[in-house]
Amino acid sequence: MTEQSPAIELKGISKAFGPVQANKDISIRVMPGTIHGIIGENGAGKSTLMSILYGFYKADSGEIFINGKKTEIPDSQAAISAGIGMVFQHFKLVENFTVLENVILGVEDGFLLKPSLNKARKELRQLAEEYELNVDPDAVIENIGVGMQQRVEILKALYRRADILILDEPTGVLTPSEADQLFRILGRLREEGKTIILITHKLREIMDITDTVSVMRRGEMTATVKTAETNPSHLAELMVGRKVLLQVDKAPAQPGEIILDVKNLNVTDEQGVHRVKDVSFNIRAGEILGIAGVAGNGQSELLEVLGGYCVATGDIFMNGEPIDLTGDKSDGQSRRERGIAHVPEDRHREGLILNFSAWENTAFGYHKDGKYQKNGVLMDNAAIVQDTAEKMERFDVRPPNPMLAAKNFSGGNQQKIVVAREIERNPDLLLIGQPTRGVDIGAIEFIHKQIIALRDQGKAILLVSVELDEIMSLSDRIAVMFDGKIMGERLPDETNTQELGLLMAGVQGETA
Amino acid sequence: MDLLAFFDIAVLDGTVRLATPLLLACLAGLFSERAGIFDIGLEGKMLISAFLAAAVSFTSGSVWIGMFAGIFASVLLSLLHGLASITFRGNQLISGVAINFFASGITVVAAQSWFGQGGRTPSLSGDARFESIQFPGALTRIRDINKADLPMKVYSELLSGHTIIVYMCILIVPLVWWILYRTRFGLRLRAVGENPGAVDTAGISVVRMRYMAVIICGVLCGMAGAYLSTGLQAGFVREMTAGRGYIALAALIFAKWKPWSALGATLLFGYLQALAIRPDILERAIGIRVQTQVLDALPYILTVIVLAGFVGKAIPPKAGGEPYVKER
């Protein structure tokens, strides 16, 4: 039996950043013409491993074999010559360049651009036919959608004659239909004999498309299995190191009276773009309303209006009383006084001040609270630290040190700090945006449980998420936003991802 | 009122002379900032080059040797800026300000210790200075020019009678445009100022590209400075750049980092400077006597207006001012 040599073989790769061992003695074999998944929580070392393969870092020890040949990869240039192409999570495209210019950057044929551009144009047409990768070569990157931008990244790799394609969390920014299209393209590439490594934390993608899968946990490769011989809950257990509940356990909702009533809300931003168009909805006590939609369709603005830092027109009633949309009483402070708590979508930009410690972050927005005050003027720091320590304990924040700067916690623990701050105030209404973005599976499970628990206490919850799975499993009702409008409301038991996906893309489907 | 006076040939002639150093400095800044390195030190580099060009021209008797000395000094300061902001990832503004302070002090001290004339160099003449080039048949005496008809005036005063640097400048704008938009080097330069990550992953060295950009910036600044002391004037005096480096930066923003617009912007600023020298012409044009101090301030006032963002929105290169650190 002649054995084909693997497209990629890593032997004993280790890499440490200071005291942190990002990769520990990792070995892996990927056969040509297959799709290999690498799955693991945030910080498990997936990206580090791929960065070593792409020449961004040098491994402390270990060997790399490409097509059976030992290969040194000191920089990206070497990786490209070895036939490795990488599609990063955050695209490496020059935004004000055209597609063509981005494709040839770094592999121009000579001093003058013209011949290279012409050659690339011809080749792009061929690649488009071969792999269904249709892109307008003269479009400027900042004017095309993320799905298209991702195709440009793939084209860039193929134009550089890549036989091995690494994709890092490729579906994070895509709609379900765009993701399906990406998977079709990856399937074509596999048929043509390309080798693909797919890095993701989404179990469903692994199950859908990969041939083999490796699981990483805390810098180590815990298992490599054939996809056909495993199942999601087994993989999740390997990732986290304990049994994980993938399905959210929740009793049917017991909706009470209307807490939040939004009528004809309109938002126009500073550039004069109409972001939210005549949106009306309500949320009852003990109910979770999920707002689904692709990022940038008005959900963020909706949250900002309710949270008190975006101007709007229309009417909003909280417990039957109108709340101010303009003037002194329309800020975040006033909203909090009315019983609205807010976990913002972007914890780095809005939820936390990363250089401040956990206890300081816990006081934000509630610093005027009586129990955080001393003599009516000074803040009682000791009391805040004490309170923060208790919150960290209850929310299992690790490390449970209130003095540590927010930036030194992992994404999941940062999010727990924000969620703890808001939920523990016992609000009537919780606004929560992207609760589990960049959060590991263990923390997702925890945060979901907290949200459900709050609902079961009879609170109203507005959940905004781009993760359709999250919307489906948490919401009692689902509204879909597209282009600033609510396209329709569905009940989670009476709809499916296909129907919601169509609504998210602006297609007004027939009711299922 | 005589609005035609705004187009007085003498003022336009002055515009060309005064716009030249601004244009060179502006294009210098363009290369640097397009590559993502903000350069507030244009002023200091011009100043040190103006001094060294004058000093070496005087000593050697050759203006060309002088200019190369000036360019050399300017490039050295550029490399210092590069070392601070590219290699050591320091703050580009602070490094630039430091260069300006350094140049402001060292030029006067060195001039005093070499020539003992109170911080200036001796007057330059003959081969130690860029002489005006007279076109064939052009009138040279002011009296003759004033009597001539319009085409002859334009030919003799506006077109003829500039130094070689001014004529080189006419070619430099299309050349810069061509390099920026039609060559591999230009593509990579623009890319490194917008998204160094894209350049790095494409297998090109970000550090190398940025150093090349600051060296070109140094060369152009050096030319601008040398022109000030050996072409526009005949010798170095302290602080002779008089804020031209900052005006060039304002012109760069005004021009939205584009070469042809840079030409327009620097001509406008040059025109204002030329008008400030001739208050009589402005008085003829608008019929009111304007204080010369106000005129002198005009280019700076316009600069403030431009920098305050009143003239459209200028979007700088996205990665400008940010040291590049590979992400994890």
Side-chain angles (χ1 to χ4, degrees), chain A residues 17 54 56-57 77 88 92-93 95-96 106 108 111-113, chain B residues 178 182-184 188 194-195 198 201-204 318 327-328:
Chain A
F17 296 102
Y54 197 65
F56 258 35
Y57 299 123
Q77 193 71 57
F88 290 87
K92 304 289 182 185
L93 297 170
E95 297 234 313
N96 58 356
E108 309 89 343
F111 185 68
L112 292 180
L113 287 183
Chain B
W178 183 78
R182 287 289 178 271
T183 69
R184 171 173 66 187
R188 293 175 174 188
E194 287 291 330
N195 186 352
T201 50
I204 309 163
K318 223 174 256 157
E327 48 184 294
R328 278 229 188 149

PDB file of all heavy atoms in Angstrom, chain A residues 17 54 56-57 77 88 92-93 95-96 106 108 111-113, chain B residues 178 182-184 188 194-195 198 201-204 318 327-328:
ATOM      1  N   PHE A  17       4.311  32.554  25.223  1.00  0.00           N
ATOM      2  CA  PHE A  17       4.452  34.004  25.309  1.00  0.00           C
ATOM      3  C   PHE A  17       4.704  34.318  26.777  1.00  0.00           C
ATOM      4  O   PHE A  17       3.784  34.294  27.577  1.00  0.00           O
ATOM      5  CB  PHE A  17       3.183  34.715  24.846  1.00  0.00           C
ATOM      6  CG  PHE A  17       2.866  34.484  23.401  1.00  0.00           C
ATOM      7  CD1 PHE A  17       1.887  33.576  23.025  1.00  0.00           C
ATOM      8  CD2 PHE A  17       3.558  35.170  22.411  1.00  0.00           C
ATOM      9  CE1 PHE A  17       1.601  33.359  21.684  1.00  0.00           C
ATOM     10  CE2 PHE A  17       3.271  34.959  21.078  1.00  0.00           C
ATOM     11  CZ  PHE A  17       2.303  34.052  20.714  1.00  0.00           C
ATOM     12  N   TYR A  54       1.647  30.273   9.385  1.00  0.00           N
ATOM     13  CA  TYR A  54       1.691  31.332   8.377  1.00  0.00           C
ATOM     14  C   TYR A  54       2.908  32.244   8.560  1.00  0.00           C
ATOM     15  O   TYR A  54       3.033  33.281   7.918  1.00  0.00           O
ATOM     16  CB  TYR A  54       0.393  32.153   8.403  1.00  0.00           C
ATOM     17  CG  TYR A  54       0.194  32.964   7.150  1.00  0.00           C
ATOM     18  CD1 TYR A  54      -0.007  32.339   5.919  1.00  0.00           C
ATOM     19  CD2 TYR A  54       0.237  34.352   7.170  1.00  0.00           C
ATOM     20  CE1 TYR A  54      -0.169  33.075   4.761  1.00  0.00           C
ATOM     21  CE2 TYR A  54       0.079  35.100   6.007  1.00  0.00           C
ATOM     22  CZ  TYR A  54      -0.122  34.445   4.803  1.00  0.00           C
ATOM     23  OH  TYR A  54      -0.281  35.176   3.655  1.00  0.00           O
ATOM     24  N   PHE A  56       3.848  34.070  11.138  1.00  0.00           N
ATOM     25  CA  PHE A  56       3.736  35.260  11.979  1.00  0.00           C
ATOM     26  C   PHE A  56       4.558  35.109  13.252  1.00  0.00           C
ATOM     27  O   PHE A  56       5.094  36.067  13.767  1.00  0.00           O
ATOM     28  CB  PHE A  56       2.266  35.524  12.317  1.00  0.00           C
ATOM     29  CG  PHE A  56       1.671  36.620  11.503  1.00  0.00           C
ATOM     30  CD1 PHE A  56       2.063  36.802  10.185  1.00  0.00           C
ATOM     31  CD2 PHE A  56       0.735  37.480  12.033  1.00  0.00           C
ATOM     32  CE1 PHE A  56       1.530  37.829   9.425  1.00  0.00           C
ATOM     33  CE2 PHE A  56       0.198  38.512  11.283  1.00  0.00           C
ATOM     34  CZ  PHE A  56       0.595  38.684   9.989  1.00  0.00           C
ATOM     35  N   TYR A  57       4.601  33.868  13.761  1.00  0.00           N
ATOM     36  CA  TYR A  57       5.425  33.596  14.937  1.00  0.00           C
ATOM     37  C   TYR A  57       6.358  32.457  14.625  1.00  0.00           C
ATOM     38  O   TYR A  57       6.068  31.622  13.790  1.00  0.00           O
ATOM     39  CB  TYR A  57       4.563  33.169  16.134  1.00  0.00           C
ATOM     40  CG  TYR A  57       3.590  34.191  16.579  1.00  0.00           C
ATOM     41  CD1 TYR A  57       2.240  33.889  16.636  1.00  0.00           C
ATOM     42  CD2 TYR A  57       4.016  35.451  16.953  1.00  0.00           C
ATOM     43  CE1 TYR A  57       1.325  34.829  17.054  1.00  0.00           C
ATOM     44  CE2 TYR A  57       3.113  36.404  17.374  1.00  0.00           C
ATOM     45  CZ  TYR A  57       1.769  36.080  17.418  1.00  0.00           C
ATOM     46  OH  TYR A  57       0.878  37.007  17.821  1.00  0.00           O
ATOM     47  N   GLN A  77       6.110  35.475   3.682  1.00  0.00           N
ATOM     48  CA  GLN A  77       6.594  35.225   2.326  1.00  0.00           C
ATOM     49  C   GLN A  77       6.887  33.738   2.131  1.00  0.00           C
ATOM     50  O   GLN A  77       6.521  33.145   1.124  1.00  0.00           O
ATOM     51  CB  GLN A  77       7.866  36.047   2.091  1.00  0.00           C
ATOM     52  CG  GLN A  77       8.295  36.128   0.644  1.00  0.00           C
ATOM     53  CD  GLN A  77       7.358  36.995  -0.189  1.00  0.00           C
ATOM     54  OE1 GLN A  77       7.144  38.149   0.129  1.00  0.00           O
ATOM     55  NE2 GLN A  77       6.788  36.422  -1.231  1.00  0.00           N
ATOM     56  N   PHE A  88      -7.870  35.621   7.253  1.00  0.00           N
ATOM     57  CA  PHE A  88      -7.941  36.002   8.661  1.00  0.00           C
ATOM     58  C   PHE A  88      -9.359  36.358   9.063  1.00  0.00           C
ATOM     59  O   PHE A  88     -10.191  36.729   8.235  1.00  0.00           O
ATOM     60  CB  PHE A  88      -7.021  37.208   8.922  1.00  0.00           C
ATOM     61  CG  PHE A  88      -5.570  36.876   8.847  1.00  0.00           C
ATOM     62  CD1 PHE A  88      -4.892  36.907   7.638  1.00  0.00           C
ATOM     63  CD2 PHE A  88      -4.885  36.513   9.990  1.00  0.00           C
ATOM     64  CE1 PHE A  88      -3.561  36.586   7.571  1.00  0.00           C
ATOM     65  CE2 PHE A  88      -3.539  36.205   9.929  1.00  0.00           C
ATOM     66  CZ  PHE A  88      -2.881  36.239   8.714  1.00  0.00           C
ATOM     67  N   LYS A  92      -7.548  41.160   5.908  1.00  0.00           N
ATOM     68  CA  LYS A  92      -6.350  41.968   5.665  1.00  0.00           C
ATOM     69  C   LYS A  92      -6.469  42.612   4.292  1.00  0.00           C
ATOM     70  O   LYS A  92      -5.731  42.281   3.371  1.00  0.00           O
ATOM     71  CB  LYS A  92      -5.099  41.082   5.739  1.00  0.00           C
ATOM     72  CG  LYS A  92      -4.961  40.328   7.046  1.00  0.00           C
ATOM     73  CD  LYS A  92      -4.619  41.267   8.190  1.00  0.00           C
ATOM     74  CE  LYS A  92      -4.436  40.492   9.484  1.00  0.00           C
ATOM     75  NZ  LYS A  92      -4.229  41.386  10.629  1.00  0.00           N
ATOM     76  N   LEU A  93      -7.434  43.498   4.155  1.00  0.00           N
ATOM     77  CA  LEU A  93      -7.647  44.161   2.872  1.00  0.00           C
ATOM     78  C   LEU A  93      -7.450  45.655   3.047  1.00  0.00           C
ATOM     79  O   LEU A  93      -7.734  46.202   4.105  1.00  0.00           O
ATOM     80  CB  LEU A  93      -9.074  43.901   2.377  1.00  0.00           C
ATOM     81  CG  LEU A  93      -9.423  42.438   2.092  1.00  0.00           C
ATOM     82  CD1 LEU A  93     -10.913  42.290   1.850  1.00  0.00           C
ATOM     83  CD2 LEU A  93      -8.644  41.930   0.894  1.00  0.00           C
ATOM     84  N   GLU A  95      -8.859  49.002   2.441  1.00  0.00           N
ATOM     85  CA  GLU A  95     -10.267  49.336   2.211  1.00  0.00           C
ATOM     86  C   GLU A  95     -10.512  50.277   1.035  1.00  0.00           C
ATOM     87  O   GLU A  95     -11.538  50.204   0.396  1.00  0.00           O
ATOM     88  CB  GLU A  95     -10.842  49.964   3.474  1.00  0.00           C
ATOM     89  CG  GLU A  95     -10.845  49.019   4.649  1.00  0.00           C
ATOM     90  CD  GLU A  95     -12.210  48.897   5.258  1.00  0.00           C
ATOM     91  OE1 GLU A  95     -12.831  49.940   5.469  1.00  0.00           O
ATOM     92  OE2 GLU A  95     -12.652  47.761   5.496  1.00  0.00           O
ATOM     93  N   ASN A  96      -9.578  51.182   0.767  1.00  0.00           N
ATOM     94  CA  ASN A  96      -9.839  52.118  -0.330  1.00  0.00           C
ATOM     95  C   ASN A  96      -9.166  51.672  -1.635  1.00  0.00           C
ATOM     96  O   ASN A  96      -9.037  52.446  -2.555  1.00  0.00           O
ATOM     97  CB  ASN A  96      -9.430  53.545   0.058  1.00  0.00           C
ATOM     98  CG  ASN A  96      -7.975  53.642   0.429  1.00  0.00           C
ATOM     99  OD1 ASN A  96      -7.279  52.624   0.477  1.00  0.00           O
ATOM    100  ND2 ASN A  96      -7.489  54.838   0.680  1.00  0.00           N
ATOM    101  N   GLY A 106       1.781  42.759  -3.291  1.00  0.00           N
ATOM    102  CA  GLY A 106       2.812  41.839  -2.814  1.00  0.00           C
ATOM    103  C   GLY A 106       3.236  40.800  -3.830  1.00  0.00           C
ATOM    104  O   GLY A 106       4.276  40.172  -3.679  1.00  0.00           O
ATOM    105  N   GLU A 108       3.080  41.596  -7.345  1.00  0.00           N
ATOM    106  CA  GLU A 108       3.112  42.304  -8.612  1.00  0.00           C
ATOM    107  C   GLU A 108       4.226  41.701  -9.467  1.00  0.00           C
ATOM    108  O   GLU A 108       5.222  41.211  -8.952  1.00  0.00           O
ATOM    109  CB  GLU A 108       3.393  43.795  -8.392  1.00  0.00           C
ATOM    110  CG  GLU A 108       2.491  44.480  -7.369  1.00  0.00           C
ATOM    111  CD  GLU A 108       3.053  44.407  -5.949  1.00  0.00           C
ATOM    112  OE1 GLU A 108       3.948  43.573  -5.715  1.00  0.00           O
ATOM    113  OE2 GLU A 108       2.601  45.174  -5.090  1.00  0.00           O
ATOM    114  N   PHE A 111       7.795  46.471 -11.959  1.00  0.00           N
ATOM    115  CA  PHE A 111       7.741  47.796 -11.364  1.00  0.00           C
ATOM    116  C   PHE A 111       6.447  48.522 -11.710  1.00  0.00           C
ATOM    117  O   PHE A 111       5.887  49.238 -10.907  1.00  0.00           O
ATOM    118  CB  PHE A 111       8.961  48.607 -11.827  1.00  0.00           C
ATOM    119  CG  PHE A 111       9.043  49.952 -11.172  1.00  0.00           C
ATOM    120  CD1 PHE A 111       9.305  50.064  -9.816  1.00  0.00           C
ATOM    121  CD2 PHE A 111       8.866  51.110 -11.908  1.00  0.00           C
ATOM    122  CE1 PHE A 111       9.380  51.304  -9.199  1.00  0.00           C
ATOM    123  CE2 PHE A 111       8.933  52.354 -11.305  1.00  0.00           C
ATOM    124  CZ  PHE A 111       9.199  52.447  -9.951  1.00  0.00           C
ATOM    125  N   LEU A 112       5.967  48.304 -12.938  1.00  0.00           N
ATOM    126  CA  LEU A 112       4.733  48.979 -13.356  1.00  0.00           C
ATOM    127  C   LEU A 112       3.518  48.132 -13.005  1.00  0.00           C
ATOM    128  O   LEU A 112       3.553  46.910 -13.083  1.00  0.00           O
ATOM    129  CB  LEU A 112       4.763  49.251 -14.856  1.00  0.00           C
ATOM    130  CG  LEU A 112       5.803  50.280 -15.276  1.00  0.00           C
ATOM    131  CD1 LEU A 112       5.769  50.478 -16.785  1.00  0.00           C
ATOM    132  CD2 LEU A 112       5.566  51.605 -14.568  1.00  0.00           C
ATOM    133  N   LEU A 113       2.444  48.796 -12.636  1.00  0.00           N
ATOM    134  CA  LEU A 113       1.256  48.067 -12.185  1.00  0.00           C
ATOM    135  C   LEU A 113       0.431  47.492 -13.318  1.00  0.00           C
ATOM    136  O   LEU A 113      -0.170  46.441 -13.190  1.00  0.00           O
ATOM    137  CB  LEU A 113       0.363  48.987 -11.361  1.00  0.00           C
ATOM    138  CG  LEU A 113       0.852  49.342  -9.968  1.00  0.00           C
ATOM    139  CD1 LEU A 113      -0.178  50.196  -9.281  1.00  0.00           C
ATOM    140  CD2 LEU A 113       1.101  48.073  -9.164  1.00  0.00           C
TER     141      LEU A 113
ATOM    142  N   TRP B 178       2.609  59.688 -10.695  1.00  0.00           N
ATOM    143  CA  TRP B 178       2.866  58.451 -11.442  1.00  0.00           C
ATOM    144  C   TRP B 178       3.422  57.366 -10.506  1.00  0.00           C
ATOM    145  O   TRP B 178       2.977  56.215 -10.530  1.00  0.00           O
ATOM    146  CB  TRP B 178       3.850  58.763 -12.572  1.00  0.00           C
ATOM    147  CG  TRP B 178       4.158  57.600 -13.463  1.00  0.00           C
ATOM    148  CD1 TRP B 178       3.379  57.100 -14.455  1.00  0.00           C
ATOM    149  CD2 TRP B 178       5.344  56.802 -13.427  1.00  0.00           C
ATOM    150  NE1 TRP B 178       4.000  56.033 -15.047  1.00  0.00           N
ATOM    151  CE2 TRP B 178       5.209  55.820 -14.435  1.00  0.00           C
ATOM    152  CE3 TRP B 178       6.500  56.809 -12.652  1.00  0.00           C
ATOM    153  CZ2 TRP B 178       6.182  54.865 -14.683  1.00  0.00           C
ATOM    154  CZ3 TRP B 178       7.476  55.859 -12.891  1.00  0.00           C
ATOM    155  CH2 TRP B 178       7.312  54.896 -13.905  1.00  0.00           C
ATOM    156  N   ARG B 182       0.854  54.446 -10.274  1.00  0.00           N
ATOM    157  CA  ARG B 182       1.110  53.589 -11.433  1.00  0.00           C
ATOM    158  C   ARG B 182       2.238  52.585 -11.207  1.00  0.00           C
ATOM    159  O   ARG B 182       2.553  51.816 -12.094  1.00  0.00           O
ATOM    160  CB  ARG B 182       1.455  54.451 -12.658  1.00  0.00           C
ATOM    161  CG  ARG B 182       0.252  55.180 -13.254  1.00  0.00           C
ATOM    162  CD  ARG B 182      -0.681  54.194 -13.949  1.00  0.00           C
ATOM    163  NE  ARG B 182      -1.856  54.844 -14.484  1.00  0.00           N
ATOM    164  CZ  ARG B 182      -2.987  55.030 -13.795  1.00  0.00           C
ATOM    165  NH1 ARG B 182      -3.066  54.610 -12.541  1.00  0.00           N
ATOM    166  NH2 ARG B 182      -4.016  55.620 -14.352  1.00  0.00           N
ATOM    167  N   THR B 183       2.874  52.618 -10.047  1.00  0.00           N
ATOM    168  CA  THR B 183       3.978  51.687  -9.834  1.00  0.00           C
ATOM    169  C   THR B 183       3.717  50.795  -8.626  1.00  0.00           C
ATOM    170  O   THR B 183       2.892  51.104  -7.772  1.00  0.00           O
ATOM    171  CB  THR B 183       5.311  52.421  -9.580  1.00  0.00           C
ATOM    172  OG1 THR B 183       5.244  53.064  -8.304  1.00  0.00           O
ATOM    173  CG2 THR B 183       5.596  53.451 -10.656  1.00  0.00           C
ATOM    174  N   ARG B 184       4.462  49.708  -8.616  1.00  0.00           N
ATOM    175  CA  ARG B 184       4.385  48.743  -7.521  1.00  0.00           C
ATOM    176  C   ARG B 184       4.733  49.414  -6.200  1.00  0.00           C
ATOM    177  O   ARG B 184       4.081  49.230  -5.191  1.00  0.00           O
ATOM    178  CB  ARG B 184       5.369  47.613  -7.834  1.00  0.00           C
ATOM    179  CG  ARG B 184       5.580  46.631  -6.734  1.00  0.00           C
ATOM    180  CD  ARG B 184       6.434  45.493  -7.212  1.00  0.00           C
ATOM    181  NE  ARG B 184       7.782  45.937  -7.525  1.00  0.00           N
ATOM    182  CZ  ARG B 184       8.708  45.165  -8.105  1.00  0.00           C
ATOM    183  NH1 ARG B 184       8.421  43.933  -8.432  1.00  0.00           N
ATOM    184  NH2 ARG B 184       9.903  45.630  -8.345  1.00  0.00           N
ATOM    185  N   ARG B 188       2.292  49.729  -2.822  1.00  0.00           N
ATOM    186  CA  ARG B 188       2.670  49.227  -1.511  1.00  0.00           C
ATOM    187  C   ARG B 188       2.741  50.355  -0.491  1.00  0.00           C
ATOM    188  O   ARG B 188       2.379  50.181   0.670  1.00  0.00           O
ATOM    189  CB  ARG B 188       4.019  48.513  -1.598  1.00  0.00           C
ATOM    190  CG  ARG B 188       3.925  47.246  -2.422  1.00  0.00           C
ATOM    191  CD  ARG B 188       5.271  46.601  -2.602  1.00  0.00           C
ATOM    192  NE  ARG B 188       5.124  45.316  -3.282  1.00  0.00           N
ATOM    193  CZ  ARG B 188       6.114  44.460  -3.443  1.00  0.00           C
ATOM    194  NH1 ARG B 188       7.321  44.743  -2.977  1.00  0.00           N
ATOM    195  NH2 ARG B 188       5.904  43.319  -4.059  1.00  0.00           N
ATOM    196  N   GLU B 194      -2.581  52.537   4.869  1.00  0.00           N
ATOM    197  CA  GLU B 194      -3.990  52.249   5.097  1.00  0.00           C
ATOM    198  C   GLU B 194      -4.181  51.037   5.979  1.00  0.00           C
ATOM    199  O   GLU B 194      -4.985  51.039   6.892  1.00  0.00           O
ATOM    200  CB  GLU B 194      -4.700  52.004   3.751  1.00  0.00           C
ATOM    201  CG  GLU B 194      -4.920  53.241   2.915  1.00  0.00           C
ATOM    202  CD  GLU B 194      -5.942  54.187   3.517  1.00  0.00           C
ATOM    203  OE1 GLU B 194      -6.870  53.720   4.201  1.00  0.00           O
ATOM    204  OE2 GLU B 194      -5.799  55.400   3.304  1.00  0.00           O
ATOM    205  N   ASN B 195      -3.471  49.974   5.664  1.00  0.00           N
ATOM    206  CA  ASN B 195      -3.614  48.737   6.428  1.00  0.00           C
ATOM    207  C   ASN B 195      -2.306  47.958   6.404  1.00  0.00           C
ATOM    208  O   ASN B 195      -2.101  47.094   5.561  1.00  0.00           O
ATOM    209  CB  ASN B 195      -4.750  47.895   5.831  1.00  0.00           C
ATOM    210  CG  ASN B 195      -5.043  46.670   6.672  1.00  0.00           C
ATOM    211  OD1 ASN B 195      -4.310  46.372   7.622  1.00  0.00           O
ATOM    212  ND2 ASN B 195      -6.088  45.961   6.337  1.00  0.00           N
ATOM    213  N   ALA B 198      -2.355  44.199   6.028  1.00  0.00           N
ATOM    214  CA  ALA B 198      -2.519  43.613   4.701  1.00  0.00           C
ATOM    215  C   ALA B 198      -1.170  43.493   4.011  1.00  0.00           C
ATOM    216  O   ALA B 198      -0.890  42.513   3.320  1.00  0.00           O
ATOM    217  CB  ALA B 198      -3.462  44.476   3.857  1.00  0.00           C
ATOM    218  N   THR B 201       0.870  40.581   5.759  1.00  0.00           N
ATOM    219  CA  THR B 201       0.437  39.240   5.398  1.00  0.00           C
ATOM    220  C   THR B 201       0.691  38.944   3.927  1.00  0.00           C
ATOM    221  O   THR B 201       0.714  37.799   3.525  1.00  0.00           O
ATOM    222  CB  THR B 201      -1.065  39.028   5.673  1.00  0.00           C
ATOM    223  OG1 THR B 201      -1.778  40.113   5.087  1.00  0.00           O
ATOM    224  CG2 THR B 201      -1.342  38.971   7.141  1.00  0.00           C
ATOM    225  N   ALA B 202       0.876  39.996   3.113  1.00  0.00           N
ATOM    226  CA  ALA B 202       1.207  39.763   1.708  1.00  0.00           C
ATOM    227  C   ALA B 202       2.697  39.484   1.554  1.00  0.00           C
ATOM    228  O   ALA B 202       3.191  39.327   0.443  1.00  0.00           O
ATOM    229  CB  ALA B 202       0.809  40.971   0.867  1.00  0.00           C
ATOM    230  N   GLY B 203       3.417  39.435   2.663  1.00  0.00           N
ATOM    231  CA  GLY B 203       4.827  39.064   2.620  1.00  0.00           C
ATOM    232  C   GLY B 203       5.760  40.229   2.323  1.00  0.00           C
ATOM    233  O   GLY B 203       6.887  40.035   1.907  1.00  0.00           O
ATOM    234  N   ILE B 204       5.288  41.471   2.531  1.00  0.00           N
ATOM    235  CA  ILE B 204       6.135  42.639   2.320  1.00  0.00           C
ATOM    236  C   ILE B 204       6.498  43.205   3.688  1.00  0.00           C
ATOM    237  O   ILE B 204       5.651  43.237   4.585  1.00  0.00           O
ATOM    238  CB  ILE B 204       5.395  43.730   1.518  1.00  0.00           C
ATOM    239  CG1 ILE B 204       4.788  43.133   0.261  1.00  0.00           C
ATOM    240  CG2 ILE B 204       6.318  44.881   1.176  1.00  0.00           C
ATOM    241  CD1 ILE B 204       3.730  44.006  -0.368  1.00  0.00           C
ATOM    242  N   LYS B 318      -5.533  55.680   6.917  1.00  0.00           N
ATOM    243  CA  LYS B 318      -6.161  55.082   8.086  1.00  0.00           C
ATOM    244  C   LYS B 318      -5.170  54.673   9.177  1.00  0.00           C
ATOM    245  O   LYS B 318      -5.473  54.773  10.361  1.00  0.00           O
ATOM    246  CB  LYS B 318      -6.979  53.867   7.647  1.00  0.00           C
ATOM    247  CG  LYS B 318      -8.320  53.826   8.340  1.00  0.00           C
ATOM    248  CD  LYS B 318      -9.179  52.720   7.797  1.00  0.00           C
ATOM    249  CE  LYS B 318     -10.247  53.263   6.875  1.00  0.00           C
ATOM    250  NZ  LYS B 318     -10.744  52.287   5.923  1.00  0.00           N
ATOM    251  N   GLU B 327      -0.467  41.588  15.247  1.00  0.00           N
ATOM    252  CA  GLU B 327      -1.426  41.159  16.245  1.00  0.00           C
ATOM    253  C   GLU B 327      -1.279  39.679  16.511  1.00  0.00           C
ATOM    254  O   GLU B 327      -0.757  38.932  15.711  1.00  0.00           O
ATOM    255  CB  GLU B 327      -2.849  41.506  15.813  1.00  0.00           C
ATOM    256  CG  GLU B 327      -3.193  41.125  14.412  1.00  0.00           C
ATOM    257  CD  GLU B 327      -4.583  41.593  14.038  1.00  0.00           C
ATOM    258  OE1 GLU B 327      -5.529  41.072  14.631  1.00  0.00           O
ATOM    259  OE2 GLU B 327      -4.726  42.452  13.178  1.00  0.00           O
ATOM    260  N   ARG B 328      -1.764  39.270  17.649  1.00  0.00           N
ATOM    261  CA  ARG B 328      -1.696  37.856  18.001  1.00  0.00           C
ATOM    262  C   ARG B 328      -2.659  37.061  17.171  1.00  0.00           C
ATOM    263  O   ARG B 328      -3.799  37.479  17.055  1.00  0.00           O
ATOM    264  CB  ARG B 328      -2.095  37.692  19.457  1.00  0.00           C
ATOM    265  CG  ARG B 328      -0.955  37.972  20.356  1.00  0.00           C
ATOM    266  CD  ARG B 328      -0.839  36.875  21.343  1.00  0.00           C
ATOM    267  NE  ARG B 328       0.153  37.229  22.354  1.00  0.00           N
ATOM    268  CZ  ARG B 328       0.063  36.794  23.596  1.00  0.00           C
ATOM    269  NH1 ARG B 328      -0.937  36.043  23.954  1.00  0.00           N
ATOM    270  NH2 ARG B 328       0.983  37.103  24.437  1.00  0.00           N
TER     271      ARG B 328
END
